[in-house]
Amino acid sequence: LRPLVWIRRGTMGKSTKPAAAPPDTISLHRKLDPIYECVDTGQNKAALKLIGDLLKKYPTLQIARVLKGITLSRMGMEDQGMELCEEVRAEGPADDTVLNTLALFYKNVGAAQQQVEMFEQASERDPRNAEHLTLLFQAYARAYDFVKQQQCAMKLYRLTNNPKHVMWAICAMLMQADANPTALALAAGMCSKLEAKGSIADRESLLVYARVLRESGQGEKALELLEGDLGERLLPMAAERAVLCATQAAALGKSEAAAKHWRALLTHAPDDWAAMSRVLDIAMPTTRAAAAHKPQVPAGDTRMAARSHSVGGAGFAKVSSEGFWSDDETVAELLGRVSVKDGPDRAEAIERGRTVSAEVRAAADALGGALEVGRGAYLLDAEFAWRAAQLGDPESKVGDAMMTYWRDFGHWTSCARDLRPYCDAIRRTNARAAREFSDRFVDAASAMPEPERVVGGDGAKEARRHLRRVIAAHA
C-alpha cells in the first residue's frame, strides 16, 4: 500500500453525517499512524482491530471506513470491503486524503468505473480543482475512455493554459485513431498550432508530434521534423536522433537517406551492430541476417515490422494508421539460401556489401581497433560473407571469414557467442559444409603450438589465451 505513506498528510476527511464529537486533527493523526503501519506491513488482523477501536469512538469517520475496506479486501472479503467503500463514495467525500485512499482501493480491486465516477463527482463539486481533473484524466485512461479523456485534458488546458494539457488531449486522440480516423487530422492540426506558438518544447512532445504526422499520412513532414532544427534541439543525443531519422526514412522507402543516417549513427556509436547490419540490409536487399533483427522503434513508439528493411530492401516499408508494415508479407522464411536471379543486380549487391564492410572496418581501425571501439566492425566480415553466400558467392567464404575472426578474437571470451549465429545458419542450410567447417576449426586449434609453461606473468596469460582459443574452436 505504497501511497498510504504520503496519504497521511493533510486533514483526514470527515463524514457529511453529523458527528457527536468531531475528532481533533492531531490526536486523529496519532491514532491513524499505527493503522497505516499495520496495513503497510500486511498485519491485517491487527489493523482491523485498531480500526474497529477507532470506529467505536468515531463511527462515521470516512478515512477509517475506507481503510477498513482495504483491509477486508486484503483478507479475502472483497465484497464487504467494496460495500463499505461504496457507502463512503455515496456520501460524496471532499477530502483529498479520503479520495486518494478510495482511488487506491478501486485500483487494487480493478474497479475502474467506480474510480471514474468518484472523481467525476469531485470535479463537479469543485470544477476549478486542477488536481481532481488530473486524477479524473488518469481514471479515464484506466477505464479506456479516450473520448472523455480528451475532453478532460481540454478542460485542464482552459483552466491552466498549460500546453502540456493540449498534448495530453492529442495522446488521447491517438488512442482513438482506429475507431475515429478523423481524430488524427484534428491531432495533427493541434500539433501544428503548438509548433507555431513555440510550445513543442520537450523531447516527449516532439516524439508525439512525429507519431501524429506519421500516422496521419504525413511521413515526409515527420522526417523533416526529426531532421530539422526542432529535432536537433529537442533530441540532444545524436545517436538517438540518427536512429529515429533512419527508421522514418526507411518507412518512406528512402533507402539512401536511411543508410546515411545509419552511417551517421556509426560515427557516434562505432560498435552499434544494429546499425551495421541495417546498412547491409539496404546495400544487399533480399538477403537476411544470420541473427534476426529486433523490430526498430520509430518516434512515438509504433513498432516497425521486423522485415521492413530486409524484405525487398528498405523501399518496401510503408506506414499505415496501424503502424509499420511491409508490402511483401508472403516471402518465404529463409531456410536455405535466398533464391535470386543471376545478373548484374546480384553482383552489384555483393560489391556494395563488400564496400560497406571494408569502410566500417577501416573506420574502426582509424579509431584504434577493437580494443577501443569494439569487435562489431570485424565480425561484419562474417556477416557480409553469409549474405553474399545467399546471393551466390561460394559458401566457403563464410568459413574463411569465420576462421579469420577466430584467429583475431579467439582469445576473447565472446568469440564463440559471436560466431554462433553463422554456425547455426550453416548447419541448417548445408550439413556437409557445417561438418567441414567444424573440422577446420578443430584442426586449426590442434595445430596451434602450446605456449611455454611459465608460472605467473606473461606465460600464464598466454596459457589462458591459448585455452580460450581452443574452447572457442571446439564450441
Side-chain angles (χ1 to χ4, degrees):
L1 197 65
R2 181 186 57 79
L4 284 181
V5 175
W6 57 262
I7 281 174
R8 301 177 195 183
R9 302 170 186 159
T11 303
M12 300 299 113
K14 308 175 186 66
S15 169
T16 55
K17 300 176 183 178
D24 173 73
T25 301
I26 296 176
S27 63
L28 182 58
H29 272 286
R30 193 163 52 247
K31 292 178 182 296
L32 284 174
D33 276 342
I35 296 175
Y36 284 126
E37 186 67 28
C38 289
V39 175
D40 287 341
T41 56
Q43 302 177 58
N44 296 322
K45 290 184 179 180
L48 208 56
K49 183 180 182 305
L50 291 172
I51 294 169
D53 293 342
L54 185 60
L55 286 174
K56 285 179 183 177
K57 190 170 184 180
Y58 308 113
T60 60
L61 187 64
Q62 291 179 338
I63 187 64
R65 290 152 65 200
V66 174
L67 288 171
K68 184 177 181 180
I70 290 174
T71 306
L72 289 172
S73 71
R74 290 187 169 191
M75 296 175 70
M77 294 177 277
E78 192 172 296
D79 291 342
Q80 295 179 38
M82 177 66 77
E83 183 180 354
L84 199 56
C85 288
E86 285 291 88
E87 287 178 3
V88 175
R89 181 169 72 89
E91 295 169 8
D95 185 85
D96 286 347
T97 301
V98 177
L99 287 171
N100 288 326
T101 311
L102 264 177
L104 187 63
F105 169 81
Y106 290 133
K107 180 181 178 181
N108 289 341
V109 300
Q113 190 55 42
Q114 286 88 332
Q115 192 175 4
V116 166
E117 292 171 3
M118 178 185 70
F119 284 122
E120 283 179 340
Q121 293 167 2
S123 296
E124 287 171 4
R125 285 193 304 271
D126 188 3
R128 298 192 62 79
N129 189 317
E131 183 179 352
H132 288 175
L133 282 172
T134 299
L135 293 169
L136 178 58
F137 176 87
Q138 296 167 357
Y140 282 139
R142 282 187 282 270
Y144 301 101
D145 194 337
F146 303 119
V147 174
K148 289 186 177 179
Q149 191 185 27
Q150 173 191 340
Q151 296 167 351
C152 184
M154 293 311 296
K155 285 182 182 178
L156 273 166
Y157 175 66
R158 287 190 287 271
L159 182 64
T160 65
N161 203 33
N162 189 333
K164 80 173 181 179
H165 294 132
V166 178
M167 195 56 67
W168 288 10
I170 290 168
C171 289
M173 292 178 195
L174 276 172
M175 302 305 294
Q176 302 171 47
D178 289 339
N180 179 18
T182 59
L184 280 175
L186 180 58
M190 293 172 69
C191 284
S192 181
K193 289 180 180 178
L194 287 176
E195 182 185 12
K197 293 179 179 178
S199 298
I200 304 291
D202 55 64
R203 174 182 176 276
E204 289 72 22
S205 297
L206 177 76
L207 295 181
V208 170
Y209 187 10
R211 177 175 172 178
V212 168
L213 291 173
R214 187 178 67 249
E215 295 195 6
S216 62
Q218 302 179 64
E220 292 279 0
K221 190 171 181 181
L223 181 58
E224 291 174 7
L225 178 71
L226 294 169
E227 291 180 335
D229 294 339
L230 196 60
E232 185 175 6
R233 177 163 56 86
L234 299 181
L235 295 170
M237 292 181 63
E240 179 193 21
R241 183 162 168 254
V243 170
L244 295 175
C245 290
T247 305
Q248 183 60 38
L252 295 169
K254 296 186 171 185
S255 56
E256 291 185 8
K260 181 192 76 172
H261 287 298
W262 287 123
R263 295 296 292 268
L265 172 59
L266 288 173
T267 65
H268 302 290
D271 196 39
D272 192 304
W273 181 253
M276 297 178 200
S277 191
R278 282 179 168 83
V279 172
L280 281 183
D281 286 341
I282 297 168
M284 306 174 76
T286 75
T287 65
R288 294 292 188 88
H293 298 318
K294 291 182 179 179
Q296 193 61 51
V297 180
D301 285 356
T302 299
R303 287 190 175 273
M304 173 179 271
R307 294 183 288 182
S308 55
H309 271 292
S310 55
V311 179
F316 288 87
K318 304 293 182 184
V319 180
S320 71
S321 59
E322 290 79 25
F324 286 63
W325 51 278
S326 170
D327 280 346
D328 184 4
E329 291 292 349
T330 61
V331 66
E333 294 292 333
L334 180 66
L335 297 177
R337 284 177 290 184
V338 176
S339 176
V340 293
K341 62 185 180 181
D342 294 337
D345 289 347
R346 184 192 66 175
E348 289 174 8
I350 293 174
E351 190 56 37
R352 286 195 301 268
R354 182 178 289 109
T355 300
V356 166
S357 180
E359 289 177 352
V360 171
R361 186 183 183 111
D365 287 340
L367 292 172
L371 291 177
E372 292 295 327
V373 301
R375 63 197 186 278
Y378 304 92
L379 183 61
L380 195 64
D381 288 342
E383 177 70 22
F384 160 69
W386 165 248
R387 291 174 184 251
Q390 298 170 34
L391 296 173
D393 246 16
E395 208 161 40
S396 61
K397 291 185 178 180
V398 181
D400 293 340
M402 293 169 64
M403 182 64 68
T404 299
Y405 186 80
W406 173 76
R407 292 188 188 282
D408 292 340
F409 297 96
H411 60 284
W412 289 36
T413 55
S414 58
C415 181
R417 185 176 68 248
D418 291 342
L419 293 178
R420 179 65 181 268
Y422 307 101
C423 297
D424 290 345
I426 294 170
R427 190 166 58 244
R428 288 195 304 269
T429 59
N430 191 331
R432 180 186 59 79
R435 285 192 296 272
E436 291 176 358
F437 291 160
S438 177
D439 292 342
R440 283 183 63 186
F441 275 101
V442 172
D443 291 344
S446 301
M448 290 174 56
E450 287 281 345
E452 295 183 11
R453 298 182 179 275
V454 179
V455 178
D458 293 339
K461 182 178 178 181
E462 284 302 317
R464 288 193 297 270
R465 288 163 65 96
H466 176 82
L467 179 61
R468 286 197 292 266
R469 283 183 186 280
V470 173
I471 291 173
H474 284 269

